[in-house]
């Protein structure tokens, strides 16, 4: 999991970055809006933590850029202002959550984990890959006309794969998203769950959607190739 922290107050960024690294996240820090923009353009992040009052480009403008360039990364806004109209404006620009300063690291970590679990932001309630359809509201999955019964973990795993269609996800990424833990021992469980899920989704179909990339991980694609 790679997180970008855009924050000009060194005290805050040091404390947040140190805490997140201790939780085994990879953290890049940008100290102003412009360098935040450079990072956003150059790298792909699982989460962006964004201060609103920044030198250079403002947090709100950076957020606008992120959404305008169709990046679906979740964004957590940090602000000293507890101003309702600011909040409303930034939610409209595409912020996913808010934290008002001062905050404790524990509070931040709860929000970070929740946003990472949710994964890339997508406005659609239905995810589709070929004739496979996942309804995120009623928690139903169909392939063609056939309903597929999944356990809640299988559902979360499939949702994560489908949000990231075409992208190969490592076992570690899957564990962190679906199980919300990051210790090594759990990565074997991913193989077990993928095998079960794959059977339910692909068995009996000529077109296979699941793909295993040896030594790397798993993905779902239109044609499994
Ligand atoms: Ca600031």
């Amino acid at each position: 999991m790679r997180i970008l922290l855009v924050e000009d107050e060194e005290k805050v960024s040091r404390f947040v970055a140190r805490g997140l690294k201790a939780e085994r996240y990879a953290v890049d820090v940008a100290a102003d809006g412009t360098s935040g923009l450079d990072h956003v353009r150059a790298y792909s992040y699982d989460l962006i933590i964004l201060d609103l009052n920044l030198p250079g480009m403002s947090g709100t403008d950076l957020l606008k850029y992120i959404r305008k360039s169709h990046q679906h990364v979740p964004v957590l806004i940090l602000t000293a202002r507890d101003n309702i109209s600011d909040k409303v404006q930034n939610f409209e620009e595409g912020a996913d959550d808010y934290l008002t300063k001062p905050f404790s690291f524990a509070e931040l970590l709860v929000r970070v984990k929740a946003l990472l679990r949710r994964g890339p932001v997508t406005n659609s309630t239905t995810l589709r890959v070929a004739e496979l359809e996942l309804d995120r509201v009623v928690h139903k999955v169909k392939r063609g006309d056939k309903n597929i019964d999944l356990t809640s973990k299988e559902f979360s795993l499939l949702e994560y794969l489908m949000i990231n269609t075409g992208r190969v996800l490592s076992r570690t990424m899957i564990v962190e998203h679906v199980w919300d833990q990051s210790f090594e021992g759990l990565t074997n469980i991913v193989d077990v769950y993928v095998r079960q899920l794959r059977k339910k989704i692909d068995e009996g179909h000529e077109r296979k959607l699941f793909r295993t990339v040896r030594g790397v991980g798993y993905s779902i694609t239109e044609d499994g190739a």
Side-chain angles (χ1 to χ4, degrees):
M1 294 284 138
R2 195 180 177 98
I3 298 175
L4 174 64
L5 171 62
V6 190
E7 168 62 85
D8 60 314
E9 279 169 72
E10 213 191 316
K11 229 174 78 185
V12 178
S13 74
R14 227 184 3 233
F15 140 82
V16 170
R18 197 194 301 130
L20 290 173
K21 283 176 186 166
E23 294 290 322
R24 305 175 63 176
Y25 297 111
V27 184
D28 291 346
V29 178
D32 60 69
T34 318
S35 114
L37 178 66
D38 291 342
H39 279 78
V40 164
R41 281 181 171 152
Y43 305 103
S44 154
Y45 291 100
D46 296 294
L47 174 71
I48 296 174
I49 303 175
L50 185 59
D51 181 34
L52 277 191
N53 295 313
L54 292 167
M57 191 181 202
S58 78
T60 302
D61 285 343
L62 183 51
L63 178 60
K64 275 187 205 164
Y65 170 82
I66 293 168
R67 292 301 177 238
K68 225 188 289 162
S69 57
H70 305 292
Q71 298 200 27
H72 300 299
V73 54
V75 177
L76 170 63
I77 294 284
L78 302 181
T79 177
R81 296 175 277 186
D82 193 12
N83 183 322
I84 298 293
S85 67
D86 276 350
K87 281 193 188 178
V88 171
Q89 193 211 335
N90 283 286
F91 275 124
E92 279 171 2
E93 302 294 354
D96 299 286
D97 203 356
Y98 239 93
L99 203 51
T100 306
K101 293 176 185 173
F103 52 84
S104 72
F105 184 72
E107 279 176 279
L108 175 82
L109 190 59
V110 168
R111 312 285 179 103
V112 163
K113 285 191 169 169
L115 288 172
L116 286 173
R117 206 163 30 228
R118 216 169 73 189
V121 185
T122 151
N123 297 328
S124 56
T125 56
T126 308
L127 303 175
R128 278 186 196 87
V129 178
E131 72 282 12
L132 179 64
E133 225 178 80
L134 178 146
D135 187 318
R136 308 174 86 193
V137 177
V138 296
H139 276 227
K140 282 217 161 111
V141 175
K142 287 196 309 192
R143 182 155 182 183
D145 297 329
K146 198 182 148 232
N147 287 313
I148 300 170
D149 284 326
L150 299 180
T151 66
S152 67
K153 276 282 177 268
E154 288 169 348
F155 183 89
S156 307
L157 173 59
L158 183 63
E159 183 181 34
Y160 182 46
L161 287 164
M162 288 177 78
I163 285 173
N164 292 286
T165 297
R167 187 175 162 208
V168 181
L169 304 172
S170 72
R171 290 173 180 79
T172 308
M173 288 166 79
I174 293 173
V175 164
E176 286 176 352
H177 270 278
V178 179
W179 278 269
D180 191 26
Q181 289 179 64
S182 57
F183 57 93
E184 298 291 312
L186 265 181
T187 55
N188 286 337
I189 219 174
V190 172
D191 300 330
V192 174
Y193 270 84
V194 169
R195 205 176 309 133
Q196 275 167 216
L197 187 58
R198 181 177 221 155
K199 208 169 155 191
K200 290 186 180 181
I201 304 292
D202 272 346
E203 204 171 63
H205 291 272
E206 200 174 320
R207 169 144 76 157
K208 309 292 184 199
L209 304 178
F210 274 79
R211 175 176 169 230
T212 304
V213 182
R214 205 175 286 269
V216 183
Y218 299 101
S219 72
I220 265 192
T221 61
E222 292 278 330
D223 57 3

